[in-house]
Amino acid sequence: AQSVTQLDSQVPVFEEAPVELRCNYSSSVSVYLFWYVQYPNQGLQLLLKYLSGSTLVKGINGFEAEFNKSQTSFHLRKPSVHISDTAEYFCAVSQPTSGTYKYIFGTGTRLKVLA
Amino acid sequence: EAGVTQFPSHSVIEKGQTVTLRCDPISGHDNLYWYRRVMGKEIKFLLHFVKESKQDESGMPNNRFLAERTGGTYSTLKVQPAELEDSGVYFCASSQATGAAKAFFGQGTRLTVV
């Protein structure tokens, strides 16, 4: 069975500081990896995804994540955060079976950017 | 391009009542998913439609939940009778049939059972 762990439920960080949101997964088979963001009163929006190839994935809004197979991690990073990055971030995995994207989500990390 | 739309955005009902949630996927997306997030927990998969057929309903909690997708377009998720533990945010997502397509999520329906 697959699972996703986001150890940090809340992360406060000052504006313009760097941030890393941690995500670890467990799976006996290869997986696709995703980070989604939910801004207040909005739906989930895809930040970035790892399907194959380069382990460093760049996404929208200056975020990036690195797939580390040996550590089964897919941590999300941003070198300098803005107030507008305040949101809840979800890591997710899925099995790359053809045409279906049944996600297993983590519990989410609330990023609070402070002025 | 219109996104995934969910109705209503919020619903407050009493225990024992019936509620129907609706999801309009992106036009042309054959795959439609329902997920639920109970307060403070992870977002959990409920079921997956391919067109009008249920492909995987392994996440449906019990037989008080009924999902339909008549005609392969919009979908409804009915909870009857609702219980307190059904409270949470219900998300719908859709994706194209093939390829490395991402899933597009709606804004969710916040259901509160009192």
Side-chain angles (χ1 to χ4, degrees):
Chain A
Q2 298 161 347
S3 66
V4 176
T5 302
Q6 292 181 250
L7 286 174
D8 304 308
S9 59
Q10 295 189 64
V11 174
V13 61
F14 285 104
E15 194 173 18
E16 296 183 10
V19 70
E20 179 178 82
L21 306 184
R22 295 180 294 169
C23 173
N24 288 88
Y25 69 93
S26 66
S27 177
S28 58
V29 298
S30 62
V31 294
Y32 291 157
L33 295 151
F34 304 81
W35 275 99
Y36 276 86
V37 59
Q38 185 180 21
Y39 298 104
N41 301 315
Q42 295 186 31
L44 295 167
Q45 179 181 356
L46 181 67
L47 269 180
L48 48 78
K49 60 184 177 183
Y50 172 79
L51 305 181
S52 65
S54 173
T55 57
L56 182 62
V57 181
K58 294 192 182 295
I60 62 171
N61 301 338
F63 284 93
E64 64 180 31
E66 185 153 21
F67 169 54
N68 188 319
K69 189 174 182 179
S70 62
Q71 296 187 6
T72 60
S73 68
F74 191 55
H75 301 332
L76 181 70
R77 295 190 293 258
K78 186 169 182 178
S80 175
V81 295
H82 303 288
I83 296 287
S84 59
D85 293 322
T86 294
E88 191 159 20
Y89 293 78
F90 296 91
C91 182
V93 302
S94 72
Q95 237 178 294
T97 50
S98 176
T100 63
Y101 286 84
K102 176 181 175 181
Y103 294 102
I104 306 294
F105 282 93
T107 50
T109 298
R110 288 186 181 277
L111 175 63
K112 172 81 171 171
V113 181
L114 308 167
Chain B
E1 171 182 273
V4 177
T5 309
Q6 293 187 244
F7 304 97
S9 56
H10 294 85
S11 180
V12 181
I13 62 171
E14 292 184 351
K15 177 182 171 181
Q17 289 186 320
T18 297
V19 64
T20 300
L21 314 181
R22 173 169 168 149
C23 169
D24 287 60
I26 292 172
S27 178
H29 282 192
D30 288 339
N31 292 276
L32 186 149
Y33 308 82
W34 283 99
Y35 288 85
R36 176 176 74 170
R37 188 185 192 199
V38 173
M39 182 70 73
K41 305 235 172 146
E42 70 270 29
I43 301 169
K44 281 195 171 180
F45 168 84
L46 296 178
L47 86 159
H48 168 213
F49 283 99
V50 177
K51 297 185 180 178
E52 67 274 10
S53 299
K54 292 176 186 173
Q55 189 78 5
D56 180 351
E57 52 185 328
S58 60
M60 295 288 265
N62 50 62
N63 59 10
R64 295 185 293 104
F65 289 76
L66 175 64
E68 294 180 321
R69 193 183 181 194
T70 307
T73 54
Y74 70 91
S75 174
T76 57
L77 179 64
K78 180 190 286 188
V79 185
Q80 179 183 29
E83 298 289 346
L84 299 179
E85 64 264 24
D86 300 332
S87 296
V89 180
Y90 290 76
F91 291 101
C92 176
S94 70
S95 68
Q96 290 178 328
T98 59
K102 66 183 182 183
F104 293 81
F105 281 80
Q107 83 281 11
T109 293
R110 181 174 295 278
L111 174 65
T112 303
V113 183
V114 297

